[in-house]
Amino acid sequence: MLTSMDSAPGTPGTLTILGCDGSYPGPGGAASGYLVEQGGTTLWLDAGPGTFARLQEVVDPRTVDAVVLSHEHPDHWSDLESFAVWLMHSGTGAPVPVYAAPGIERRAYFGGIRLLDWHETGPGARMEVGGLVLTFDRTDHGPPTMAVRVDRDGAGGDPATALAFSADTGAEWTVASLGEGIGTFLCEATYTLDQEGRFRHLSGRQAGAMAATAGVGRLVVTHRWPPVPPGALLAEADEAFGKPVHQAAPGRVFEW
């Protein structure tokens, strides 16, 4: 596991990459999954295959305050099943809130267990988890898919404190719909420009251009399809963004 830290000055939250492969895990990899921590609050953002194993290397699962699931494609939520089994055997108390896009709860084998407290998200929905404020917006994808903006409660609009996650999307959505003041943008970039338009995902070029237009502070690309060379995707994202872009990798940690 990597242990690098990329920081944004003066921001106390952390974003840990648990998995970042697009559509399926590549050899030794894991699909979409991220750990967001700030001020004693721990949020598991997407739970793709392989990410629960990685989560246990970073935190005690008992500390997870809530799970956010962007959409029903299995590469974004199926490890919730493993978490549910862990909860059944761990002797934990209060149910863990799950903030999920429409369609996921009915697909979950262990979705009905009392240790998961389901809440359906939608465009414009606003949730509070500990000291974090979550705002959702629907993206340009097949099933209902929710991007999310994470703000520190009481941050006073400081542009360095907002984190946004695109989830899966095509080019008809923009992170600008989540508002101004996004310091770190975690954006899916699945392909290179020669494959633009496939399956309503973004290329590195499209992710970089979107982030530049929206004026985000820092761009981290994720959800790369395993056969796509990371250097090629990152190079076109760099050029379109106009400054260096970060490539998500399991274990990489960013301050926000």
Side-chain angles (χ1 to χ4, degrees):
M1 175 175 283
L2 300 176
T3 57
S4 62
M5 175 76 75
D6 296 275
S7 63
T11 55
T14 59
L15 166 68
T16 302
I17 310 299
L18 303 175
C20 53
D21 291 345
S23 302
Y24 63 89
S32 185
Y34 317 92
L35 200 65
V36 177
E37 299 172 275
Q38 193 275 325
T41 300
T42 299
L43 184 71
W44 185 8
L45 178 58
D46 266 1
T51 60
F52 184 56
R54 293 264 170 78
L55 181 146
Q56 294 171 81
E57 295 177 340
V58 180
V59 297
D60 183 336
R62 290 176 181 83
T63 67
V64 173
D65 293 296
V67 182
V68 173
L69 304 175
S70 64
H71 66 295
E72 67 180 36
H73 285 157
D75 61 314
H76 292 262
W77 74 269
S78 64
D79 258 19
L80 185 73
E81 305 284 23
S82 296
F83 183 48
V85 174
W86 183 91
L87 289 171
M88 287 189 286
H89 291 279
S90 69
T92 56
V96 178
V98 178
Y99 300 101
I104 301 176
E105 183 179 5
R106 64 181 171 79
R107 291 180 176 273
Y109 184 84
F110 292 107
I113 71 166
R114 64 178 180 81
L115 292 171
L116 296 176
D117 180 20
W118 290 84
H119 304 265
E120 188 171 290
T121 61
R126 184 179 183 275
M127 317 282 187
E128 294 187 16
V129 180
L132 301 178
V133 179
L134 315 180
T135 307
F136 296 87
D137 188 55
R138 182 166 180 169
T139 74
D140 173 30
H141 200 47
T145 302
M146 300 299 150
V148 60
R149 173 181 175 135
V150 183
D151 285 283
R152 296 205 320 258
D153 190 20
D158 183 343
T161 61
L163 168 70
F165 172 51
S166 71
D168 285 2
T169 186
E172 296 304 310
W173 177 83
T174 174
V175 68
S177 65
L178 287 172
E180 298 179 350
I182 294 172
T184 298
F185 179 31
L186 178 64
C187 184
E188 75 104 326
T190 303
Y191 309 117
T192 46
L193 61 87
D194 58 306
Q195 298 172 311
E196 285 181 2
R198 290 191 62 184
F199 307 114
R200 290 166 82 175
H201 285 295
L202 299 175
S203 67
R205 184 195 69 81
Q206 289 172 319
M210 177 201 298
T213 300
V216 306
R218 173 175 55 187
L219 174 61
V220 181
V221 291
T222 189
H223 200 268
R224 177 178 57 85
W225 196 42
V228 173
L233 191 152
L234 199 59
E236 66 180 50
D238 285 349
E239 182 177 359
F241 189 46
K243 54 185 175 181
V245 173
H246 302 267
Q247 176 74 62
R252 195 167 185 183
V253 180
F254 299 89
E255 289 185 349
W256 63 279

